[in-house]
């Protein structure tokens, strides 16, 4: 009886030691987040168990929004972005009469993160919108000439709304994947322009998908002071980092290296990041193509 | 691959142009003219106050129209660059307000803005970790790299346009912004060319400061 009592007391003692250790770790994390994080970095690991250059699991779903002309939902780890595309017809601009329009808009509602407040779009939403708008403007995703119905008369306008419902780092990565998958999912009715009658004839039964959609893929990295590079940071990691960079690759072409200030990079580090982005781009392109094939099969 | 233009356009600046600002500069790079002003350290609004550092605020004002999403993009790039070069830990719970006014667009507004802000920060006397020099280069449709393009070259169309900013200590990359696609070899070559050109800009900063202080001493 004495043995079982002492065993019981010892177990009790071990359990309370463990609880005390967990409390200490939580206190350390709250009071000194950077130090807490550095203890993981020193062992080349991260709190969620990933290695330094490992990306989170990406889940893509296409065509889930019935009322939109094209839609996609993307999850990169916990970061979730929904893209919905609505098409309308408008008169092309005077300076570019043979080009259609793709108008992206990234919204970060207050429900996605405790750091976002309600009100007009903040800096994060506006810079994300500008990033996507620049990708679109240089004909990188889609040649805007294919959206023209009749030069200087009618052209398609695609309003792309990207809404983030859960923000946990790597917003740009998720937005770009969502936009491309949604564009591949778009079906537009066939429209012909009758010159004699000056009328547009729209055939809603004959729907065709968009052609020539290229697939650039963005990879975000966090930079720390002593040359440590981390891929696909969570929002905690993004806050602790000394710098951030997002590299967009389309197969082997460097499409955009977005590095808004922050800690410096030398040539070797830039090369390493670009190689990692290329690897990720291959994986994601394969994933998008699988998803699009299965959604076409369902239709 | 030949480089058509191996050097950047003429740099000119006039410091302390505004009497009320802590630091100000009128900076021109070829035909691109930008004015930058720095006010700081200022009292920060309670919402923006940071307990351990100085809050950096950047406003970019275009020549025509109201600032829009594109201007926000430029502001973010300049703000994060300034957060790195200014020693923000020395002035906690204060703010610095940097304003960039576009005077004339001669092709390379982003790099001219960053260079102007660096000169204005030098003029203001805020403690800096290092200086920053930004250079823009363009890869035209025939794969030729043009350094510091003028607005005519930009309007003719290009494969890609890059803006890189480097620090003054090890000439490493602080900022990068690209439009267009190129293979990695061209990207690397463009970055190396811009890195070499940044030395010219750092020399220019040194000359500008020498001139300013020699005038004061006389």
């Amino acid at each position: 009886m004495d043995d079982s009592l002492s065993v019981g007391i010892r177990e009790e003692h071990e359990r309370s030691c463990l609880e005390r250790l967990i409390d200490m770790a939580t206190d350390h994390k709250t009071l000194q987040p950077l130090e807490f994080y550095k203890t993981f970095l020193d062992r080349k690991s991260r709190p969620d168990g990933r290695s330094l250059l490992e990306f989170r699991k990406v889940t893509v779903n296409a065509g889930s929004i019935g009322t939109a002309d094209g839609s996609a939902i993307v999850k990169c780890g916990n970061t979730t972005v929904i893209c919905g595309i609505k098409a309308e017809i408008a008169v092309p601009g005077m300076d570019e009469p043979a080009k259609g329009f793709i108008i992206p808009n990234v919204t970060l509602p207050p429900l996605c993160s405790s750091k976002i407040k309600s009100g007009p779009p903040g800096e994060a939403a506006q810079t994300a919108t500008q990033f996507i708008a620049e990708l679109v403007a240089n004909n990188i995703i889609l040649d805007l000439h294919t959206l023209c119905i009749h030069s200087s008369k009618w052209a398609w306008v695609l309003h792309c709304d990207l809404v983030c419902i859960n923000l946990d780092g790597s917003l740009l990565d998720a937005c770009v994947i969502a936009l491309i998958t949604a564009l591949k999912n778009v079906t537009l009715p066939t429209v012909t322009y009758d010159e004699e009658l000056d009328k547009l004839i729209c055939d809603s039964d004959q729907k065709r998908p968009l052609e020539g959609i290229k697939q650039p893929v963005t990879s975000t990295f966090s930079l720390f002071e002593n040359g440590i590079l981390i891929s696909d940071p969570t929002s905690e990691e993004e806050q602790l980092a000394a710098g951030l960079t997002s590299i967009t690759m389309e197969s082997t072409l460097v499409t955009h290296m977005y590095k808004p200030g922050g800690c410096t990079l030398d040539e070797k580090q830039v090369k390493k990041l670009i190689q990692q982005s290329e690897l990720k781009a291959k994986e994601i392109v394969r994933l998008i193509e699988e998803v699009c094939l299965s959604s076409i099969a369902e239709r | 691959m030949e480089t058509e233009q191996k050097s950047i356009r003429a740099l000119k600046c006039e410091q302390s142009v505004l009497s009320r600002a802590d630091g100000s500069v009128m900076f021109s790079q070829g035909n691109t003219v930008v004015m930058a002003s720095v006010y700081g350290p200022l009292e920060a609004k309670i919402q923006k106050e940071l307990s351990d550092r100085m809050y950096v605020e950047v406003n970019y004002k275009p020549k025509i129209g109201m600032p829009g999403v594109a201007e926000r993009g430029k502001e973010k790039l300049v703000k994060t660059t300034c957060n790195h070069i200014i020693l923000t830990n020395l002035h906690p719970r204060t703010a610095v307000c940097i304003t960039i006014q576009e005077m004339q667009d001669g092709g390379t507004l982003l790099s001219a803005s960053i260079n102007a802000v660096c000169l204005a920060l030098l003029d203001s006397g805020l403690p800096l970790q290092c200086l920053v020099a930004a250079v823009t280069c363009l890869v035209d449709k025939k794969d030729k790299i043009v350094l510091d393009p003028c607005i005519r070259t930009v309007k003719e169309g290009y494969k890609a346009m890059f803006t890189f900013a480097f620090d003054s200590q090890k000439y490493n990359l602080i900022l990068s912004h690209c439009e267009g696609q190129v293979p990695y070899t061209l990207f690397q070559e463009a970055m190396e060319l811009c890195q070499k050109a940044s030395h010219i800009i750092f020399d220019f900063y040194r000359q500008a400061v020498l001139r300013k202080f020699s005038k004061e001493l006389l």
Side-chain angles (χ1 to χ4, degrees):
Chain A
M1 199 155 73
D2 271 47
D3 282 342
S4 62
L5 196 62
S6 58
V7 162
I9 292 173
R10 208 182 325 130
E11 275 178 6
E12 202 47 63
H13 183 69
E14 279 171 10
R15 221 181 307 135
S16 69
C17 273
L18 195 61
E19 280 169 13
R20 250 183 289 146
L21 275 174
I22 294 173
D23 282 339
M24 271 170 64
T26 325
D27 288 342
H28 190 207
K29 185 177 177 191
T30 319
L31 294 170
Q32 292 184 310
L34 192 56
E35 296 298 320
F36 175 80
Y37 198 67
K38 280 196 173 138
T39 56
F40 285 92
L41 286 184
D42 289 338
R43 281 187 217 106
K44 301 234 184 298
S45 159
R46 292 146 87 168
D48 54 4
R50 286 187 282 159
S51 67
L52 297 185
L53 289 171
E54 197 181 319
F55 289 94
R56 289 176 287 186
K57 195 170 84 134
V58 177
T59 318
V60 182
N61 186 301
S64 30
I65 302 176
T67 47
D69 295 305
S71 62
I73 302 182
V74 171
K75 278 187 78 150
C76 282
N78 284 329
T79 302
T80 314
V81 172
I82 302 180
C83 178
I85 300 187
K86 288 292 270 185
E88 68 168 345
I89 296 182
V91 182
M94 297 249 293
D95 48 349
E96 303 264 22
K99 270 189 171 179
F101 304 92
I102 294 182
I103 301 177
N105 186 24
V106 178
T107 318
L108 296 176
L111 71 81
C112 70
S113 161
S114 59
K115 298 179 186 61
I116 309 281
K117 309 273 181 290
S118 66
E123 187 204 32
Q126 294 200 39
T127 46
T129 306
Q130 180 61 13
F131 179 85
I132 307 276
E134 281 173 3
L135 265 187
V136 163
N138 294 309
N139 285 344
I140 287 172
I141 297 185
L142 181 64
D143 188 355
L144 296 173
H145 292 98
T146 57
L147 292 176
C148 179
I149 300 170
H150 190 94
S151 177
S152 70
K153 281 274 187 178
W154 300 110
W156 282 110
V157 182
L158 296 179
H159 292 279
C160 307
D161 291 310
L162 292 137
V163 181
C164 177
I165 55 177
N166 193 355
L167 185 59
D168 193 19
S170 302
L171 174 67
L172 297 175
D173 300 12
C175 285
V176 170
I177 302 175
L179 180 65
I180 293 172
T181 314
L183 280 170
K184 288 191 119 166
N185 186 244
V186 163
T187 48
L188 296 176
T190 339
V191 174
T192 43
Y193 176 64
D194 192 334
E195 284 205 53
E196 293 169 355
L197 299 170
D198 195 20
K199 257 173 72 170
L200 274 176
I201 305 167
C202 177
D203 189 357
S204 299
D205 295 322
Q206 287 250 12
K207 289 207 168 184
R208 52 173 189 90
L210 291 172
E211 274 155 38
I213 300 174
K214 292 188 239 172
Q215 296 162 104
V217 175
T218 308
S219 316
T220 303
F221 300 91
S222 261
L223 320 165
F224 287 83
E225 281 295 340
N226 35 3
I228 297 184
L229 308 166
I230 287 182
S231 76
D232 201 7
T234 62
S235 72
E236 278 176 0
E237 290 170 352
E238 269 184 4
Q239 274 194 305
L240 294 171
L244 204 69
T245 177
S246 295
I247 300 182
T248 312
M249 298 287 290
E250 199 221 316
S251 60
T252 51
L253 295 175
V254 176
T255 303
H256 194 170
M257 180 171 169
Y258 181 70
K259 185 184 184 305
C263 135
T264 57
L265 282 179
D266 61 29
E267 272 184 50
K268 274 195 226 125
Q269 289 172 313
V270 171
K271 188 166 186 181
K272 187 173 170 190
L273 291 179
I274 290 185
Q275 280 169 345
Q276 286 294 314
S277 313
E278 224 181 294
L279 289 172
K280 183 186 174 182
K282 271 195 214 136
E283 292 269 328
I284 300 288
V285 164
R286 211 173 24 92
L287 178 65
I288 294 178
E289 285 184 348
E290 264 179 45
V291 170
C292 290
L293 278 174
S294 64
S295 77
I296 290 173
E298 274 168 34
R299 258 191 260 140
Chain B
M1 256 157 296
E2 314 146 35
T3 47
E4 211 165 72
Q5 193 185 317
K6 285 211 164 97
S7 170
I8 53 179
R9 294 171 292 174
L11 299 165
K12 289 196 202 119
C13 87
E14 196 182 318
Q15 297 191 313
S16 306
V17 287
L18 301 173
S19 60
R20 310 284 299 178
D22 291 318
S24 57
V25 74
M26 174 88 90
F27 174 75
S28 81
Q29 198 169 331
N31 278 336
T32 308
V33 183
V34 161
M35 179 183 266
S37 75
V38 170
Y39 284 85
L42 293 172
E43 192 178 328
K45 284 192 212 145
I46 299 180
Q47 298 108 307
K48 301 207 174 127
E49 199 178 282
L50 295 166
S51 58
D52 58 340
R53 319 181 253 130
M54 183 157 68
Y55 177 76
V56 178
E57 188 183 333
V58 178
N59 283 309
Y60 181 90
K61 303 256 184 288
K63 191 164 78 170
I64 311 168
M66 295 286 289
V69 183
E71 281 67 44
R72 289 278 166 278
K74 282 205 187 79
E75 284 172 10
K76 161 116 196 224
L77 291 168
V78 178
K79 175 178 165 170
T80 38
T81 308
C82 291
N83 263 322
H84 178 72
I85 64 173
I86 302 176
L87 289 167
T88 49
N89 290 319
L90 294 181
H91 296 281
R93 292 188 305 280
T94 62
V96 62
C97 184
I98 300 173
T99 309
I100 306 165
Q101 171 69 54
E102 172 195 338
M103 310 284 279
Q104 192 170 292
D105 184 5
T108 57
L109 275 173
L110 179 61
S111 49
S113 305
I114 295 171
N115 295 337
V117 166
C118 185
L119 278 165
L121 286 170
L122 271 172
D123 190 42
S124 72
L126 275 170
L128 301 176
Q129 190 191 155
C130 61
L131 299 177
V132 62
V135 186
T136 302
C137 79
L138 185 145
V139 176
D140 69 10
K141 294 186 179 155
K142 298 180 200 146
D143 276 357
K144 270 200 218 138
I145 302 184
V146 177
L147 202 59
D148 200 20
C150 62
I151 192 129
R152 218 178 325 136
T153 322
V154 172
K155 289 224 154 86
E156 274 167 22
Y158 49 83
K159 242 191 199 178
M161 189 151 87
F162 304 108
T163 303
F164 295 115
F166 301 94
D167 74 308
S168 57
Q169 289 167 328
K170 293 191 188 145
Y171 306 102
N172 282 339
L173 190 69
I174 293 185
L175 175 136
S176 158
H177 182 81
C178 322
E179 285 173 36
Q181 295 177 305
V182 287
Y184 176 64
T185 43
L186 256 179
F187 178 81
Q188 197 180 21
E189 201 179 312
M191 200 164 86
E192 276 170 13
L193 211 65
C194 289
Q195 198 180 37
K196 286 199 195 96
S198 68
H199 289 67
I200 303 175
I201 301 182
F202 287 127
D203 281 335
F204 175 76
Y205 290 162
R206 181 167 278 267
Q207 292 301 315
V209 175
L210 271 171
R211 236 184 307 135
K212 174 182 155 196
F213 284 111
S214 63
K215 251 190 262 173
E216 284 184 16
L217 290 170
L218 280 174

